[in-house]
Amino acid sequence: MASSTFDLETVSLIVANQDRVTDVTFPIQSPVKERIIHLCAAASVKDATHAADAAQAAFQAWAKTPASVRRGLFTRAADLLLAKQDLLATYQHEETGCSRGSARHTVGLAANLLRDVAGKISGVNGLMPQIEGGERAAMVLKVPYGVVLGFAPWNAPFILGARAIALPLAAGNTVVLKGSELSPKCFWALGDIFREAGFPAGCVNILYHRPSEASEVCSALITHRAVRMVNFTGSTLVGAIVASIAGQAVKPVVLELGGKAPCIVLDDADLEAAAAGCAVGAFTNAGQICMSTERIIVQRAVAEEFQRLLVQAAADRFGMEAGLLRLVSSAAVRKHEELISDAVGKGARVVLDHPTILSGVDKTMDLYYTESFSPIVSLHVVDTEEDALSLANDTEYGLAAALFTRDLARGLRVAGELESGAVHINQPTIFDDPNLPHGGFKSSGFGRFGGVHGLDQFLQTKSVTWLSRQSFGSGPLRSHD
Ligand code: NAD
């Protein structure tokens, strides 16, 4: 970090392990302190090009670094995350409004993710398939792409930043991470941890830009010659733009996009557990989680009792006095208020004011299809399991879903019909684990972070064949004569 003439710190870019302050900066407003807390260096197209060049320069040596060395670096980075957990949580709290407790928790999850990735590095395996031709043999190698460009949003900067860096990096790629302009200090701190852990210069480069320059800087990064793959975590709207630029340049993308997660409460559910699970799913981090429960669908037979329990659980855990419902920006507050007033103006009823539970939400209201990314949940009452499924699937999104039932066989049947990348039975929609593939169906994206296939998403395959004897004069080689 460097000092500015205005006595506010300036958050630097990190390029080739060097802090870089630019001539142009922009202010970071804290939703907690309600004032500008620091300035941020704004990458230009030239800075973006330098970062991609630095990543390219580091690639060959990094790709050949033994697995044991790479594993040690990741373990060291995980240790540093934990050693700095309180400080990092403070950065996240001040930049995004997330409670300190939740922020601390997410830093711990990021450390866990790095340890998990470290353990997968030596598990990268190729294949030796049987191929046609007696004396011909082949192997399929898994090799890194080169420079991988990642985009990570502000709402869980340590987890989402860590996964966008760690998975490609562990696979032997080098990384340019474009962090969110709403929480740059978190992304700088993450990059600083990789630097302090001992990753060589150029392996991890961290950038942010002014919001007005998003299109220009991101296009320059995506189309940079050295960038061979892109992963984007953010909204479906911007993900589609990123994917189209990458598509034109014929570069693969992993898209981790928005959600509108449903939670179904079946008529045999443990209603207290369901109410608690729905409240946690809907209102943790003020609903600013991609897997947040945005729609609760309950069967009529238990609807009245469930609603009573839900209101109680939401008010107890997330009521006004809990002070846990801070939104990241004034734009987010405006969107939240507009969605509520549009729905209420068209006939939705306020079941609970703060956090907001609405009933009677229908297709005429913006809230029905729009991801609120705020503490609003709509409560729908249906008659049958089939009605619940068709309402749950009536969305362009498909990232996460949950359902509550005492009958696991019934739960598995319903889970099988939900159009979603993940379905959680008897627990909230917010759940993730490094060993589960994370990613969406439909407009929630494609490609997966993590999972049992580990680093595969960030490796490409290469076939190498050979003849065991130099016998070009006979056999299948002549078949095209
Ligand atoms: P966003 O898509 O609005 O912004 C992401 C980034 O895109 C910003 O940093 C911005 O600088 C950049 N951007 C804006 N316009 C651009 C353009 N024309 N070209 C290139 N870049 C541009 O998302 P956000 O507000 O940062 O994050 C919230 C969204 O992310 C929600 O929709 C949430 O569901 C989603 N999300 C998804 C996951 C997941 O794993 N699926 C995880 C977290 C968040």
Side-chain angles (χ1 to χ4, degrees):
M1 308 283 282
S3 267
S4 90
T5 48
F6 302 101
D7 279 349
L8 283 173
E9 274 182 320
T10 298
V11 180
S12 320
L13 313 177
I14 299 181
V15 177
N17 278 357
Q18 300 295 313
D19 279 334
R20 197 174 181 128
V21 180
T22 54
D23 293 339
V24 180
T25 59
F26 60 96
I28 305 302
Q29 172 83 20
S30 167
V32 181
K33 298 197 163 178
E34 297 181 340
R35 63 173 172 79
I36 293 168
I37 48 171
H38 38 257
L39 304 174
C40 181
S44 61
V45 166
K46 202 169 156 201
D47 297 311
T49 306
H50 278 155
D53 289 344
Q56 183 179 27
F59 170 61
Q60 289 297 343
W62 175 245
K64 293 184 175 67
T65 302
S68 57
V69 176
R70 280 190 252 163
R71 202 168 47 237
L73 292 171
F74 276 97
T75 306
R76 171 105 181 96
D79 291 345
L80 286 168
L81 271 171
L82 292 179
K84 299 183 184 199
Q85 196 164 12
D86 288 333
L87 179 68
L88 301 177
T90 299
Y91 293 167
Q92 186 175 342
H93 170 66
E94 291 184 353
E95 287 195 327
T96 74
C98 176
S99 75
R100 280 177 199 276
S102 293
R104 230 180 154 273
H105 177 66
T106 64
V107 174
L109 292 177
N112 191 30
L113 184 139
L114 294 192
R115 284 195 205 294
D116 186 81
V117 165
K120 286 179 170 142
I121 293 174
S122 42
V124 172
N125 285 316
L127 289 171
M128 280 200 74
Q130 297 273 346
I131 60 168
E132 291 298 313
E135 292 176 337
R136 188 179 282 141
M139 59 184 176
V140 180
L141 304 174
K142 293 202 178 154
V143 296
Y145 281 89
V147 178
V148 173
L149 169 65
F151 294 85
W154 53 270
N155 66 313
F158 293 107
I159 303 179
L160 303 174
R163 80 178 184 190
I165 294 172
L167 283 126
L169 188 63
N173 304 283
T174 53
V175 172
V176 177
L177 180 77
K178 209 291 287 172
S180 169
E181 58 276 16
L182 294 178
S183 59
K185 195 162 177 180
C186 295
F187 290 105
W188 175 85
L190 188 60
D192 186 49
I193 280 173
F194 280 91
R195 172 167 60 182
E196 192 179 338
F199 283 84
C203 284
V204 178
N205 304 278
I206 309 285
L207 302 177
Y208 355 81
H209 50 63
R210 285 192 293 182
S212 56
E213 282 160 356
S215 174
E216 198 187 341
V217 175
C218 293
S219 296
L221 280 168
I222 298 167
T223 55
H224 188 290
R225 225 170 144 261
V227 169
R228 298 308 328 158
M229 194 205 185
V230 179
N231 64 77
F232 175 87
T233 303
S235 67
T236 296
L237 190 72
V238 178
I241 297 170
V242 167
S244 67
I245 300 169
Q248 293 232 338
V250 197
K251 299 185 182 182
V253 280
V254 173
L255 293 178
E256 300 288 356
L257 307 178
K260 183 86 184 160
C263 180
I264 298 176
V265 180
L266 293 170
D267 52 12
D268 63 347
D270 173 336
L271 296 184
E272 271 188 37
C278 286
V280 166
F283 302 126
T284 298
N285 201 22
Q288 298 168 116
I289 299 177
C290 53
M291 301 169 283
S292 290
T293 305
E294 295 238 345
R295 298 168 300 146
I296 301 169
I297 302 165
V298 58
Q299 282 194 275
R300 195 172 307 280
V302 295
E304 202 179 318
E305 175 63 357
F306 171 75
Q307 179 173 316
R308 189 184 67 74
L309 292 167
L310 175 67
V311 167
Q312 195 181 318
D316 286 353
R317 284 174 185 245
F318 300 97
M320 190 72 103
E321 60 288 352
L324 296 173
L325 298 173
R326 212 174 268 117
L327 292 172
V328 69
S329 65
S330 51
V333 172
R334 223 170 20 252
K335 178 179 171 191
H336 172 76
E337 289 169 350
E338 281 170 9
L339 284 171
I340 294 174
S341 73
D342 174 74
V344 171
K346 289 173 179 164
R349 287 175 302 284
V350 179
V351 173
L352 182 67
D353 197 14
H354 195 94
T356 308
I357 303 174
L358 298 179
S359 67
V361 171
D362 66 30
K363 293 185 190 197
T364 65
M365 304 167 190
D366 292 342
L367 183 62
Y368 186 87
Y369 287 118
T370 305
E371 178 189 32
S372 72
F373 218 56
S374 75
I376 319 174
V377 71
S378 52
L379 179 61
H380 303 262
V381 178
V382 295
D383 289 314
T384 64
E385 197 177 292
E386 290 69 31
D387 294 341
L389 274 168
S390 90
L391 186 54
N393 288 334
D394 186 19
T395 166
E396 67 169 308
Y397 295 111
L399 186 64
L403 64 101
F404 283 83
T405 174
R406 283 196 171 88
D407 178 349
L408 186 57
R410 187 183 186 197
L412 290 170
R413 184 177 70 228
V414 174
E417 300 297 321
L418 282 164
E419 297 163 358
S420 178
V423 182
H424 308 297
I425 300 175
N426 293 330
Q427 51 177 340
T429 51
I430 304 169
F431 179 72
D432 200 12
D433 184 281
N435 264 319
L436 289 175
H438 178 92
F441 281 15
K442 304 195 281 190
S443 300
S444 288
F446 45 77
R448 296 290 182 265
F449 275 110
V452 284
H453 299 300
L455 309 178
D456 267 9
Q457 189 74 73
F458 298 98
L459 291 160
Q460 50 191 344
T461 56
K462 175 177 187 174
S463 299
V464 177
T465 71
W466 65 94
L467 282 176
S468 54
R469 207 181 318 155
Q470 296 294 322
S471 53
F472 294 106
S474 62
L477 270 184
R478 295 182 60 104
S479 63
H480 301 296
D481 286 356

Short mmCIF file of all heavy atoms in Angstrom, two decimals, residues 281-331:
data_model
loop_
_atom_site.label_atom_id
_atom_site.label_comp_id
_atom_site.label_asym_id
_atom_site.label_seq_id
_atom_site.Cartn_x
_atom_site.Cartn_y
_atom_site.Cartn_z
N GLY A 281 -30.80 -19.06 4.78
CA GLY A 281 -30.56 -19.05 3.33
C GLY A 281 -30.90 -17.71 2.70
O GLY A 281 -30.22 -17.26 1.78
N ALA A 282 -31.95 -17.06 3.21
CA ALA A 282 -32.40 -15.82 2.57
C ALA A 282 -31.63 -14.59 3.04
O ALA A 282 -31.41 -13.67 2.25
CB ALA A 282 -33.89 -15.62 2.84
N PHE A 283 -31.23 -14.57 4.32
CA PHE A 283 -30.79 -13.29 4.87
C PHE A 283 -29.34 -13.22 5.31
O PHE A 283 -28.87 -12.15 5.71
CB PHE A 283 -31.72 -12.91 6.04
CG PHE A 283 -33.17 -12.82 5.62
CD1 PHE A 283 -34.16 -13.55 6.27
CD2 PHE A 283 -33.53 -12.03 4.53
CE1 PHE A 283 -35.48 -13.49 5.86
CE2 PHE A 283 -34.85 -11.96 4.11
CZ PHE A 283 -35.83 -12.69 4.77
N THR A 284 -28.60 -14.33 5.24
CA THR A 284 -27.16 -14.26 5.56
C THR A 284 -26.49 -13.27 4.59
O THR A 284 -26.79 -13.27 3.40
CB THR A 284 -26.52 -15.66 5.44
OG1 THR A 284 -27.16 -16.52 6.38
CG2 THR A 284 -25.03 -15.63 5.72
N ASN A 285 -25.60 -12.46 5.13
CA ASN A 285 -24.92 -11.41 4.35
C ASN A 285 -25.93 -10.56 3.59
O ASN A 285 -25.68 -10.13 2.45
CB ASN A 285 -23.88 -12.02 3.39
CG ASN A 285 -22.83 -10.98 2.96
OD1 ASN A 285 -22.62 -9.98 3.64
ND2 ASN A 285 -22.20 -11.21 1.83
N ALA A 286 -27.05 -10.28 4.25
CA ALA A 286 -28.11 -9.43 3.68
C ALA A 286 -28.56 -9.91 2.31
O ALA A 286 -28.92 -9.12 1.43
CB ALA A 286 -27.64 -7.97 3.61
N GLY A 287 -28.55 -11.23 2.13
CA GLY A 287 -29.04 -11.79 0.85
C GLY A 287 -28.07 -11.60 -0.29
O GLY A 287 -28.40 -11.88 -1.44
N GLN A 288 -26.86 -11.16 0.01
CA GLN A 288 -25.89 -10.87 -1.06
C GLN A 288 -24.95 -12.05 -1.28
O GLN A 288 -23.74 -11.94 -1.16
CB GLN A 288 -25.10 -9.60 -0.71
CG GLN A 288 -25.99 -8.37 -0.59
CD GLN A 288 -25.25 -7.19 0.04
OE1 GLN A 288 -25.06 -6.18 -0.59
NE2 GLN A 288 -24.85 -7.33 1.29
N ILE A 289 -25.54 -13.20 -1.54
CA ILE A 289 -24.78 -14.43 -1.84
C ILE A 289 -25.45 -15.04 -3.07
O ILE A 289 -26.69 -15.05 -3.17
CB ILE A 289 -24.83 -15.41 -0.64
CG1 ILE A 289 -24.19 -14.77 0.60
CG2 ILE A 289 -24.14 -16.74 -0.98
CD1 ILE A 289 -24.25 -15.62 1.86
N CYS A 290 -24.64 -15.54 -4.00
CA CYS A 290 -25.22 -16.06 -5.24
C CYS A 290 -26.19 -17.21 -4.97
O CYS A 290 -27.12 -17.44 -5.73
CB CYS A 290 -24.13 -16.52 -6.18
SG CYS A 290 -22.98 -17.70 -5.41
N MET A 291 -25.99 -17.93 -3.86
CA MET A 291 -26.83 -19.09 -3.54
C MET A 291 -27.98 -18.71 -2.59
O MET A 291 -28.69 -19.60 -2.09
CB MET A 291 -25.98 -20.19 -2.89
CG MET A 291 -24.84 -20.67 -3.76
SD MET A 291 -23.67 -21.73 -2.86
CE MET A 291 -22.72 -20.54 -1.91
N SER A 292 -28.17 -17.41 -2.31
CA SER A 292 -29.21 -16.98 -1.37
C SER A 292 -30.59 -17.50 -1.78
O SER A 292 -30.94 -17.50 -2.97
CB SER A 292 -29.31 -15.45 -1.33
OG SER A 292 -28.18 -14.92 -0.72
N THR A 293 -31.38 -17.87 -0.79
CA THR A 293 -32.77 -18.28 -1.05
C THR A 293 -33.57 -17.03 -1.42
O THR A 293 -33.67 -16.10 -0.64
CB THR A 293 -33.39 -18.90 0.22
OG1 THR A 293 -32.55 -19.96 0.66
CG2 THR A 293 -34.80 -19.41 -0.06
N GLU A 294 -34.11 -17.02 -2.64
CA GLU A 294 -34.90 -15.85 -3.07
C GLU A 294 -36.38 -16.20 -3.12
O GLU A 294 -37.23 -15.32 -3.16
CB GLU A 294 -34.42 -15.37 -4.44
CG GLU A 294 -32.98 -14.84 -4.42
CD GLU A 294 -32.84 -13.40 -4.89
OE1 GLU A 294 -33.78 -12.88 -5.51
OE2 GLU A 294 -31.78 -12.80 -4.63
N ARG A 295 -36.68 -17.52 -3.17
CA ARG A 295 -38.09 -17.93 -3.24
C ARG A 295 -38.30 -19.12 -2.31
O ARG A 295 -37.56 -20.10 -2.39
CB ARG A 295 -38.45 -18.33 -4.68
CG ARG A 295 -38.31 -17.17 -5.66
CD ARG A 295 -38.40 -17.62 -7.09
NE ARG A 295 -37.36 -18.57 -7.41
CZ ARG A 295 -37.50 -19.57 -8.26
NH1 ARG A 295 -38.66 -19.80 -8.85
NH2 ARG A 295 -36.49 -20.37 -8.51
N ILE A 296 -39.30 -19.02 -1.44
CA ILE A 296 -39.66 -20.16 -0.59
C ILE A 296 -41.01 -20.67 -1.10
O ILE A 296 -41.95 -19.89 -1.29
CB ILE A 296 -39.78 -19.73 0.88
CG1 ILE A 296 -38.44 -19.16 1.38
CG2 ILE A 296 -40.21 -20.92 1.75
CD1 ILE A 296 -38.52 -18.47 2.74
N ILE A 297 -41.07 -21.98 -1.34
CA ILE A 297 -42.29 -22.56 -1.90
C ILE A 297 -42.78 -23.62 -0.91
O ILE A 297 -42.10 -24.61 -0.67
CB ILE A 297 -41.97 -23.20 -3.28
CG1 ILE A 297 -41.39 -22.12 -4.20
CG2 ILE A 297 -43.22 -23.84 -3.88
CD1 ILE A 297 -40.69 -22.66 -5.44
N VAL A 298 -43.93 -23.38 -0.32
CA VAL A 298 -44.40 -24.25 0.76
C VAL A 298 -45.74 -24.88 0.39
O VAL A 298 -46.59 -24.25 -0.26
CB VAL A 298 -44.48 -23.45 2.10
CG1 VAL A 298 -45.40 -22.25 1.99
CG2 VAL A 298 -44.91 -24.34 3.26
N GLN A 299 -45.92 -26.14 0.80
CA GLN A 299 -47.21 -26.81 0.51
C GLN A 299 -48.28 -26.28 1.45
O GLN A 299 -48.04 -26.03 2.64
CB GLN A 299 -47.05 -28.33 0.65
CG GLN A 299 -46.38 -28.94 -0.59
CD GLN A 299 -46.53 -30.45 -0.64
OE1 GLN A 299 -45.73 -31.17 -0.05
NE2 GLN A 299 -47.55 -30.93 -1.36
N ARG A 300 -49.49 -26.12 0.88
CA ARG A 300 -50.59 -25.45 1.58
C ARG A 300 -50.90 -26.06 2.96
O ARG A 300 -51.17 -25.35 3.92
CB ARG A 300 -51.85 -25.48 0.70
CG ARG A 300 -52.94 -24.51 1.16
CD ARG A 300 -54.09 -24.42 0.16
NE ARG A 300 -53.68 -24.11 -1.19
CZ ARG A 300 -53.38 -22.88 -1.63
NH1 ARG A 300 -53.43 -21.85 -0.81
NH2 ARG A 300 -53.00 -22.69 -2.88
N ALA A 301 -50.81 -27.39 3.05
CA ALA A 301 -51.21 -28.07 4.29
C ALA A 301 -50.42 -27.55 5.50
O ALA A 301 -50.92 -27.58 6.63
CB ALA A 301 -51.02 -29.58 4.13
N VAL A 302 -49.18 -27.10 5.26
CA VAL A 302 -48.34 -26.66 6.39
C VAL A 302 -48.01 -25.16 6.30
O VAL A 302 -47.21 -24.65 7.08
CB VAL A 302 -47.04 -27.49 6.48
CG1 VAL A 302 -47.34 -28.95 6.81
CG2 VAL A 302 -46.21 -27.38 5.20
N ALA A 303 -48.61 -24.47 5.34
CA ALA A 303 -48.18 -23.10 5.03
C ALA A 303 -48.36 -22.13 6.21
O ALA A 303 -47.48 -21.31 6.50
CB ALA A 303 -48.93 -22.59 3.80
N GLU A 304 -49.50 -22.25 6.90
CA GLU A 304 -49.79 -21.27 7.95
C GLU A 304 -48.78 -21.38 9.10
O GLU A 304 -48.18 -20.39 9.54
CB GLU A 304 -51.21 -21.51 8.46
CG GLU A 304 -51.79 -20.28 9.12
CD GLU A 304 -53.21 -20.54 9.58
OE1 GLU A 304 -54.00 -21.17 8.83
OE2 GLU A 304 -53.54 -20.13 10.72
N GLU A 305 -48.58 -22.63 9.54
CA GLU A 305 -47.65 -22.87 10.64
C GLU A 305 -46.22 -22.51 10.22
O GLU A 305 -45.45 -21.89 10.97
CB GLU A 305 -47.75 -24.34 11.08
CG GLU A 305 -46.76 -24.78 12.14
CD GLU A 305 -46.92 -24.06 13.49
OE1 GLU A 305 -47.78 -23.18 13.60
OE2 GLU A 305 -46.14 -24.39 14.41
N PHE A 306 -45.86 -22.87 8.98
CA PHE A 306 -44.51 -22.57 8.51
C PHE A 306 -44.29 -21.06 8.46
O PHE A 306 -43.24 -20.55 8.89
CB PHE A 306 -44.28 -23.18 7.12
CG PHE A 306 -42.98 -22.72 6.51
CD1 PHE A 306 -41.77 -23.23 6.97
CD2 PHE A 306 -42.95 -21.73 5.54
CE1 PHE A 306 -40.55 -22.78 6.45
CE2 PHE A 306 -41.75 -21.27 5.02
CZ PHE A 306 -40.55 -21.80 5.48
N GLN A 307 -45.29 -20.32 7.97
CA GLN A 307 -45.12 -18.85 7.87
C GLN A 307 -44.86 -18.25 9.26
O GLN A 307 -44.00 -17.39 9.43
CB GLN A 307 -46.36 -18.22 7.23
CG GLN A 307 -46.24 -16.71 7.13
CD GLN A 307 -47.37 -16.07 6.36
OE1 GLN A 307 -47.77 -16.55 5.30
NE2 GLN A 307 -47.91 -14.98 6.90
N ARG A 308 -45.60 -18.74 10.25
CA ARG A 308 -45.42 -18.22 11.61
C ARG A 308 -43.98 -18.47 12.09
O ARG A 308 -43.31 -17.58 12.62
CB ARG A 308 -46.43 -18.91 12.55
CG ARG A 308 -46.51 -18.32 13.95
CD ARG A 308 -47.45 -19.12 14.84
NE ARG A 308 -46.97 -20.48 15.14
CZ ARG A 308 -45.98 -20.77 15.99
NH1 ARG A 308 -45.36 -19.79 16.63
NH2 ARG A 308 -45.61 -22.02 16.20
N LEU A 309 -43.51 -19.69 11.85
CA LEU A 309 -42.15 -20.04 12.29
C LEU A 309 -41.08 -19.28 11.51
O LEU A 309 -40.05 -18.88 12.05
CB LEU A 309 -41.93 -21.55 12.14
CG LEU A 309 -42.76 -22.41 13.10
CD1 LEU A 309 -42.73 -23.89 12.66
CD2 LEU A 309 -42.23 -22.28 14.54
N LEU A 310 -41.34 -19.06 10.22
CA LEU A 310 -40.36 -18.34 9.38
C LEU A 310 -40.21 -16.90 9.85
O LEU A 310 -39.10 -16.39 9.99
CB LEU A 310 -40.82 -18.38 7.91
CG LEU A 310 -39.97 -17.56 6.95
CD1 LEU A 310 -38.57 -18.16 6.81
CD2 LEU A 310 -40.63 -17.47 5.55
N VAL A 311 -41.35 -16.26 10.11
CA VAL A 311 -41.32 -14.86 10.57
C VAL A 311 -40.54 -14.76 11.88
O VAL A 311 -39.68 -13.89 12.06
CB VAL A 311 -42.76 -14.32 10.74
CG1 VAL A 311 -42.78 -13.00 11.50
CG2 VAL A 311 -43.42 -14.16 9.36
N GLN A 312 -40.80 -15.72 12.75
CA GLN A 312 -40.11 -15.73 14.05
C GLN A 312 -38.60 -15.92 13.86
O GLN A 312 -37.79 -15.17 14.43
CB GLN A 312 -40.68 -16.87 14.87
CG GLN A 312 -40.35 -16.81 16.34
CD GLN A 312 -40.95 -18.03 17.04
OE1 GLN A 312 -42.09 -18.44 16.76
NE2 GLN A 312 -40.18 -18.63 17.92
N ALA A 313 -38.23 -16.90 13.03
CA ALA A 313 -36.79 -17.18 12.82
C ALA A 313 -36.10 -15.98 12.17
O ALA A 313 -34.99 -15.59 12.56
CB ALA A 313 -36.63 -18.43 11.95
N ALA A 314 -36.77 -15.38 11.18
CA ALA A 314 -36.15 -14.24 10.47
C ALA A 314 -36.01 -13.05 11.40
O ALA A 314 -34.96 -12.38 11.44
CB ALA A 314 -37.00 -13.87 9.25
N ALA A 315 -37.06 -12.77 12.19
CA ALA A 315 -37.01 -11.61 13.10
C ALA A 315 -35.97 -11.84 14.20
O ALA A 315 -35.21 -10.93 14.54
CB ALA A 315 -38.40 -11.37 13.70
N ASP A 316 -35.92 -13.07 14.73
CA ASP A 316 -34.96 -13.35 15.81
C ASP A 316 -33.52 -13.20 15.34
O ASP A 316 -32.69 -12.60 16.01
CB ASP A 316 -35.13 -14.79 16.32
CG ASP A 316 -36.40 -14.92 17.17
OD1 ASP A 316 -37.02 -13.87 17.44
OD2 ASP A 316 -36.76 -16.06 17.51
N ARG A 317 -33.23 -13.78 14.18
CA ARG A 317 -31.83 -13.80 13.74
C ARG A 317 -31.41 -12.57 12.97
O ARG A 317 -30.24 -12.19 12.98
CB ARG A 317 -31.59 -15.00 12.81
CG ARG A 317 -31.50 -16.32 13.54
CD ARG A 317 -31.42 -17.42 12.49
NE ARG A 317 -31.47 -18.72 13.10
CZ ARG A 317 -30.45 -19.58 13.07
NH1 ARG A 317 -29.34 -19.26 12.49
NH2 ARG A 317 -30.58 -20.76 13.64
N PHE A 318 -32.35 -12.00 12.21
CA PHE A 318 -31.95 -10.93 11.28
C PHE A 318 -32.80 -9.67 11.43
O PHE A 318 -32.82 -8.83 10.53
CB PHE A 318 -32.06 -11.43 9.83
CG PHE A 318 -31.20 -12.63 9.55
CD1 PHE A 318 -31.73 -13.92 9.59
CD2 PHE A 318 -29.85 -12.48 9.27
CE1 PHE A 318 -30.93 -15.03 9.33
CE2 PHE A 318 -29.05 -13.57 9.01
CZ PHE A 318 -29.58 -14.86 9.04
N GLY A 319 -33.53 -9.53 12.53
CA GLY A 319 -34.40 -8.36 12.73
C GLY A 319 -33.60 -7.08 12.76
O GLY A 319 -32.37 -7.10 12.82
N MET A 320 -34.28 -5.98 12.72
CA MET A 320 -33.67 -4.65 12.65
C MET A 320 -32.51 -4.50 13.63
O MET A 320 -31.42 -4.04 13.28
CB MET A 320 -34.76 -3.63 12.96
CG MET A 320 -34.40 -2.21 12.70
SD MET A 320 -34.33 -1.90 10.95
CE MET A 320 -35.87 -1.03 10.72
N GLU A 321 -32.74 -4.96 14.88
CA GLU A 321 -31.74 -4.72 15.91
C GLU A 321 -30.46 -5.53 15.69
O GLU A 321 -29.39 -5.19 16.18
CB GLU A 321 -32.31 -4.98 17.32
CG GLU A 321 -32.81 -6.36 17.61
CD GLU A 321 -34.13 -6.68 16.89
OE1 GLU A 321 -34.74 -5.78 16.27
OE2 GLU A 321 -34.54 -7.83 16.93
N ALA A 322 -30.57 -6.60 14.89
CA ALA A 322 -29.37 -7.42 14.67
C ALA A 322 -28.33 -6.67 13.83
O ALA A 322 -27.15 -6.97 13.88
CB ALA A 322 -29.75 -8.73 13.99
N GLY A 323 -28.77 -5.66 13.06
CA GLY A 323 -27.84 -4.83 12.30
C GLY A 323 -27.02 -5.60 11.27
O GLY A 323 -25.90 -5.23 10.96
N LEU A 324 -27.60 -6.66 10.73
CA LEU A 324 -26.83 -7.51 9.82
C LEU A 324 -27.22 -7.33 8.36
O LEU A 324 -26.81 -8.09 7.51
CB LEU A 324 -27.06 -8.99 10.20
CG LEU A 324 -26.57 -9.41 11.57
CD1 LEU A 324 -27.00 -10.83 11.88
CD2 LEU A 324 -25.05 -9.32 11.63
N LEU A 325 -28.03 -6.32 8.09
CA LEU A 325 -28.60 -6.25 6.75
C LEU A 325 -28.09 -5.06 5.95
O LEU A 325 -28.83 -4.37 5.29
CB LEU A 325 -30.13 -6.23 6.84
CG LEU A 325 -30.72 -7.49 7.47
CD1 LEU A 325 -32.20 -7.36 7.70
CD2 LEU A 325 -30.43 -8.72 6.61
N ARG A 326 -26.80 -4.85 6.01
CA ARG A 326 -26.22 -3.71 5.32
C ARG A 326 -25.93 -4.07 3.87
O ARG A 326 -25.29 -5.08 3.59
CB ARG A 326 -24.92 -3.35 6.03
CG ARG A 326 -24.61 -1.91 6.00
CD ARG A 326 -23.40 -1.59 6.83
NE ARG A 326 -23.68 -1.22 8.20
CZ ARG A 326 -23.25 -1.92 9.25
NH1 ARG A 326 -22.61 -3.04 9.10
NH2 ARG A 326 -23.50 -1.49 10.47
N LEU A 327 -26.39 -3.23 2.95
CA LEU A 327 -26.12 -3.49 1.54
C LEU A 327 -24.86 -2.75 1.11
O LEU A 327 -24.48 -1.74 1.70
CB LEU A 327 -27.32 -3.07 0.68
CG LEU A 327 -28.56 -3.94 0.89
CD1 LEU A 327 -29.76 -3.35 0.16
CD2 LEU A 327 -28.31 -5.36 0.41
N VAL A 328 -24.23 -3.26 0.05
CA VAL A 328 -22.88 -2.81 -0.29
C VAL A 328 -22.83 -1.38 -0.81
O VAL A 328 -21.84 -0.68 -0.62
CB VAL A 328 -22.22 -3.78 -1.30
CG1 VAL A 328 -22.91 -3.69 -2.66
CG2 VAL A 328 -20.74 -3.54 -1.44
N SER A 329 -23.90 -0.94 -1.49
CA SER A 329 -23.81 0.38 -2.14
C SER A 329 -25.19 1.03 -2.20
O SER A 329 -26.21 0.36 -2.03
CB SER A 329 -23.27 0.22 -3.57
OG SER A 329 -24.21 -0.52 -4.33
N SER A 330 -25.19 2.32 -2.52
CA SER A 330 -26.48 3.01 -2.64
C SER A 330 -27.26 2.45 -3.84
O SER A 330 -28.48 2.41 -3.83
CB SER A 330 -26.28 4.52 -2.75
OG SER A 330 -25.35 4.77 -3.76
N ALA A 331 -26.55 2.00 -4.86
CA ALA A 331 -27.24 1.42 -6.02
C ALA A 331 -27.96 0.14 -5.61
O ALA A 331 -29.10 -0.12 -6.05
CB ALA A 331 -26.23 1.11 -7.13
#
